[in-house]
Amino acid sequence: MWSVFTLNRPLVWTGIAAMASMSLLPTLMLRLAALVIVTIGALDAWRQIRLEATRRRLTEAALTLSPDGVVISNSHNRIEAVNPAFTHITGYSDDEIRGLDPSVLSSGRHDKAFYEHYWQTLNATGQWEGEVWNQRKHGDQFPEWLRVRAVADDKGRVTHYVGLFTDITRHKAREQDLQRIGFEDPLTGLPNRRRLHDLLASRLQRLRAGEGLDIALIDIDGFKAVNDTMGVDKGDRLLSRFGQRLDAFVAGGVVGRLGGDEFMVIRTTTYDDHEQWVEGLRGHLSEPFEIGDKPLRLGLTIGTCRAPEDGRDPGVLFQRLESALYAAKRHGRNHSQRFRPSLEVAGDPQLELLNELRQALAHGTQLELFYQTQHYLDDGRLAGMEALLRWYHPTHGMISPATFIPLAERHGLMASLGDWVIDHACAQLSTWRQQGLSFVPVWINISAVQLIQGDLESRLSASLSKHNVPAAMLGLELTESVLLDERAGDISTRLVALRDKGHPIAIDDFGTGYSSMAYLKQLPVDKLKLDRAFVRALPDDSADAAITSAVLAMARGLGLDVVAEGVETEAQRDYLRAEGCAMVQGFLYARPERVTDVERRLKGDLEVSLS
Ligand code: C2E
Ligand code: MG
Ligand code: MG
């Protein structure tokens, strides 16, 4: 490029002309004058070359320093050069990407029309700017703000395209809606536990032959002491610097904060150098941090594992990392431990419980569905039944679902546990139908995880058809938090489809979440279950009484049924009846019971004559 530029200079041309004419000139004086002109031309050319070289060096330095990704492609749309920020953001090195079409980064989220419009604008105006979703080398998708310019030669022909882009994942996450679902740790701006779970899942899915994941869970030793002695502000600053430093180390990988002083790192790799990688991480983080007056050197406890060797399920891998970290902690400070199966149950009661739950699920013998009847308030008739899961632990006895369901949700077991419930509820309904006992729907509780991870819709259809039970007999209870969880996709559309299949749908624990009236109105819901927290203090607590009346009035307005949960006393029942509540569920009518007990009541006197 410099030569074209240099030859454009008049002095250089004059020098060349002088050189050509030198031998033709008649006198020595004229030849000398020509020589001077040649020298000036040559000096000017030399100066230009140096200037151009300096300019190129500076440009390269600026591109190297730029936090924005830069990609230069030629007129055939083949990549010719990228800067280090490009590699950091996308995971592709200069060597890997050179010669490829930029469409290797495409996430598949944009349709043909989008790219047609992109090229039309770029060809017509020479530039394009906008938001694009691309995909990193290892599979996670990310939003970027992209500016592209077409660069033309002096004849106006496009020779290159220069693209400049910023990874706007964090900006996006700051946008209000993403903020609400909370994919980002607010202190460090790194992905939080939930997002890490998703990122791990997508990396696992995209592993190619010969690739593996190195995963590490890092805990800062004695962080509490930092907080206590230096103050929470400095503690926060340390966490944030720590996150930044980790992030810088793991180019193309994933770094996130699980909470407290726990960070997680994932990298996709073809190397089998897990231990060296962990030591590399440790070395990088052992440099002191400048937080207070004195440099602060941190001790780290690290639990690690590798996928697929140590598992292919994100929930299982999370749990194994925690086992490894827990084992490392028991060794004392500044220790790293890679997962081994023998660590899994060594002494952590939670993990032990989880392992036992996994066993219980595999064998199915310790799990059982109890049924609690629901009744019409006016005459006590049976209105429905809720299936409630029970776990009989061989040594701890009955464990409450309030304890083991959250555990299963956190550790990747909920989808299978939910499938177990669906299948057993359908089997029970089928038996009751054959015995001529079933004429009210059975309601099952659906966890958010089933909507997000499991394939709820197909599991429901498969179980219903296997047991020959109509969908109208299987009601679905979803809590407000499930309805608001955007990881489940467009929940409203999914609910419409489930209801079209015939499932009745109820909002469980109503009043404990934040669903607005406007939102509720759009949802295809049949029933609200008023949370027992409001029923408990009825009728004396005036605030609860006011909420109950308001919910009942609102439900009437929307044409929804209401079941009041947790009715234990006659006073509560009378108040609810006076306020126009149609249905109740609670110990006053029936406790959750085993199948044999429910059957006895179904066969005998069904009506509970408490009215
Ligand atoms: P939930 O769906 O709101 O279920 C009602 C809970 O209230 C049950 O507790 C039931 O035993 C209890 N209950 C019913 N009547 C009364 C009453 O009059 N007084 C009092 N104090 N309590 C009453 P349980 O069976 O311990 O279940 C707790 C929660 O565990 C359930 O709350 C539900 O969120 C979850 N759960 C239970 N089984 C399943 C399941 O199969 N799948 C899922 N995803 N969650 C389940
Ligand atoms: Mg429920
Ligand atoms: Mg409830």
Side-chain angles (χ1 to χ4, degrees):
M1 240 149 82
W2 65 266
S3 56
V4 175
F5 182 77
T6 310
L7 291 176
N8 279 339
R9 311 268 310 170
L11 273 175
V12 177
W13 280 113
T14 317
I16 291 169
M19 189 154 63
S21 59
M22 243 165 69
S23 58
L24 305 173
L25 293 172
T27 67
L28 189 64
M29 278 304 281
L30 282 173
R31 284 184 190 181
L32 270 175
L35 189 64
V36 170
I37 294 172
V38 168
T39 312
I40 292 174
L43 280 173
D44 189 46
W46 174 241
R47 205 170 64 83
Q48 284 312 315
I49 292 167
R50 289 198 37 200
L51 208 68
E52 203 49 42
T54 310
R55 198 174 294 179
R56 191 141 43 102
R57 254 199 343 269
L58 290 174
T59 311
E60 272 168 17
L63 287 182
T64 306
L65 283 177
S66 163
D68 290 338
V70 176
V71 52
I72 300 173
S73 46
N74 62 23
S75 55
H76 305 297
N77 211 27
R78 298 283 150 188
I79 295 176
E80 289 197 347
V82 297
N83 70 341
F86 176 97
T87 302
H88 185 76
I89 296 170
T90 66
Y92 286 102
S93 69
D94 193 23
D95 287 346
E96 283 172 319
I97 198 84
R98 211 175 310 130
L100 299 184
D101 190 307
S103 66
V104 292
L105 299 170
S106 153
S107 65
R109 285 200 188 204
H110 303 288
D111 58 7
K112 218 168 125 227
F114 174 89
Y115 290 106
E116 275 170 11
H117 185 249
Y118 166 91
W119 281 111
Q120 262 168 16
T121 314
L122 191 56
N123 290 332
T125 65
Q127 54 189 21
W128 186 89
E129 179 164 354
E131 188 184 310
V132 180
W133 277 85
N134 269 342
Q135 184 165 300
R136 295 183 226 274
K137 181 178 164 193
H138 296 306
D140 6 304
Q141 303 193 343
F142 68 101
E144 65 181 37
W145 189 260
L146 174 66
R147 274 158 286 175
V148 185
R149 286 269 147 92
V151 181
D153 62 14
D154 38 2
K155 295 205 177 64
R157 284 180 306 225
V158 171
T159 59
H160 291 86
Y161 298 98
V162 179
L164 190 76
F165 64 92
T166 317
D167 181 346
I168 53 169
T169 311
R170 290 181 193 168
H171 304 262
K172 291 285 288 181
R174 257 174 227 116
E175 283 175 16
Q176 209 190 357
D177 54 346
L178 280 180
Q179 185 83 40
R180 183 155 61 89
I181 55 173
F183 276 153
E184 184 186 284
D185 165 47
L187 177 66
T188 58
L190 295 171
N192 64 8
R193 179 183 280 273
R194 181 191 284 182
R195 174 91 176 122
L196 281 168
H197 200 283
D198 295 348
L199 290 170
L200 178 59
S202 84
R203 288 210 169 211
L204 283 165
Q205 262 172 19
R206 281 168 221 271
L207 278 184
R208 286 184 291 226
E211 284 185 340
L213 297 182
D214 285 319
I215 316 169
L217 196 57
I218 305 175
D219 185 288
I220 303 177
D221 292 339
F223 179 72
K224 189 174 173 303
V226 175
N227 255 350
D228 291 347
T229 52
M230 299 173 75
V232 178
D233 280 353
K234 292 223 171 83
D236 281 357
R237 206 166 337 137
L238 175 65
L239 289 174
S240 150
R241 296 255 184 94
F242 188 87
Q244 280 165 9
R245 199 187 283 180
L246 251 188
D247 200 25
F249 181 72
V250 194
V254 171
V255 172
R257 178 172 171 233
L258 291 170
D261 57 353
E262 262 184 35
F263 289 80
M264 185 166 165
V265 182
I266 308 169
R267 79 156 179 174
T268 307
T269 179
T270 49
Y271 296 115
D272 188 13
D273 62 348
H274 186 76
E275 272 70 32
Q276 287 102 299
W277 177 70
V278 176
E279 279 322 297
L281 270 178
R282 184 181 279 292
H284 182 72
L285 295 165
S286 66
E287 295 297 316
F289 286 83
E290 308 287 337
I291 296 291
D293 315 329
K294 284 184 290 189
L296 192 64
R297 218 177 266 279
L298 299 177
L300 302 174
T301 302
I302 307 181
T304 71
C305 70
R306 254 186 81 87
E309 292 91 319
D310 298 329
R312 286 189 162 271
D313 175 82
V316 170
L317 288 167
F318 263 76
Q319 183 217 327
R320 297 193 158 168
L321 277 172
E322 277 171 19
S323 308
L325 182 67
Y326 186 77
K329 281 187 180 169
R330 278 184 298 147
H331 257 90
R333 299 178 158 221
N334 228 7
H335 188 82
S336 307
Q337 173 73 57
R338 178 167 173 185
F339 170 78
R340 299 187 244 113
S342 60
L343 298 176
E344 205 147 32
V345 291
D348 179 341
Q350 286 280 56
L351 292 178
E352 218 163 315
L353 202 61
L354 185 69
N355 214 33
E356 285 162 344
L357 180 57
R358 193 171 284 127
Q359 300 291 328
L361 189 56
H363 300 122
T365 46
Q366 296 163 19
L367 297 174
E368 186 174 351
L369 282 181
F370 269 38
Y371 293 86
Q372 187 179 27
T373 52
Q374 300 167 343
H375 298 264
Y376 288 103
L377 249 175
D378 53 3
D379 56 7
R381 252 178 320 129
L382 191 68
M385 280 190 261
E386 179 173 9
L388 292 158
L389 190 52
R390 296 290 178 261
W391 177 21
Y392 293 101
H393 188 279
T395 46
H396 303 314
M398 174 106 91
I399 300 179
S400 161
T403 307
F404 70 81
I405 293 220
L407 193 68
E409 286 179 333
R410 267 204 311 279
H411 295 284
L413 223 70
M414 193 58 226
S416 327
L417 200 57
D419 290 346
W420 189 94
V421 171
I422 293 171
D423 202 56
H424 282 74
C426 287
Q428 189 58 64
L429 269 166
S430 167
T431 310
W432 283 337
R433 275 162 69 80
Q434 282 161 17
Q435 297 172 352
L437 289 174
S438 143
F439 48 93
V440 290
V442 163
W443 295 80
I444 55 173
N445 292 282
I446 301 292
S447 147
V449 178
Q450 285 172 274
L451 277 160
I452 299 158
Q453 286 176 7
D455 186 1
L456 178 67
E457 288 83 349
S458 60
R459 294 303 304 207
L460 285 168
S461 315
S463 261
L464 290 170
S465 64
K466 174 174 154 198
H467 298 289
N468 195 21
V469 172
M473 295 303 288
L474 193 68
L476 308 177
E477 292 192 4
L478 299 99
T479 59
E480 278 180 89
S481 56
V482 175
L483 299 175
L484 293 172
D485 196 322
E486 292 189 13
R487 289 174 301 164
D490 183 355
I491 192 83
S492 176
T493 316
R494 291 181 74 179
L495 290 189
V496 169
L498 285 168
R499 209 159 68 144
D500 284 350
K501 289 225 157 118
H503 291 287
I505 292 175
I507 302 188
D508 203 357
D509 303 345
F510 186 76
T512 54
Y514 301 96
S515 37
S516 70
M517 275 291 288
Y519 182 66
L520 259 188
K521 239 162 66 181
Q522 300 164 17
L523 286 178
V525 168
D526 303 281
K527 213 181 235 185
L528 302 181
K529 295 191 74 182
L530 178 64
D531 192 68
R532 67 172 188 273
F534 301 110
V535 176
R536 192 178 303 130
L538 290 181
D540 303 327
D541 186 297
S542 56
D544 284 349
I547 290 171
T548 304
S549 309
V551 170
L552 289 168
M554 182 196 81
R556 254 195 305 279
L558 292 172
L560 298 175
D561 290 336
V562 176
V563 183
E565 293 183 305
V567 179
E568 294 182 356
T569 67
E570 291 178 3
Q572 288 166 345
R573 176 201 63 193
D574 294 343
Y575 180 86
L576 288 162
R577 185 156 42 200
E579 288 297 314
C581 179
M583 284 172 267
V584 283
Q585 174 179 348
F587 295 171
L588 180 66
Y589 289 77
R591 290 189 173 250
E593 293 168 320
R594 327 186 84 108
V595 169
T596 44
D597 296 328
V598 180
E599 281 176 353
R600 198 170 314 121
R601 291 205 296 123
L602 286 175
K603 284 179 187 151
D605 181 12
L606 274 174
E607 280 83 43
V608 182
S609 44
L610 282 161
S611 50

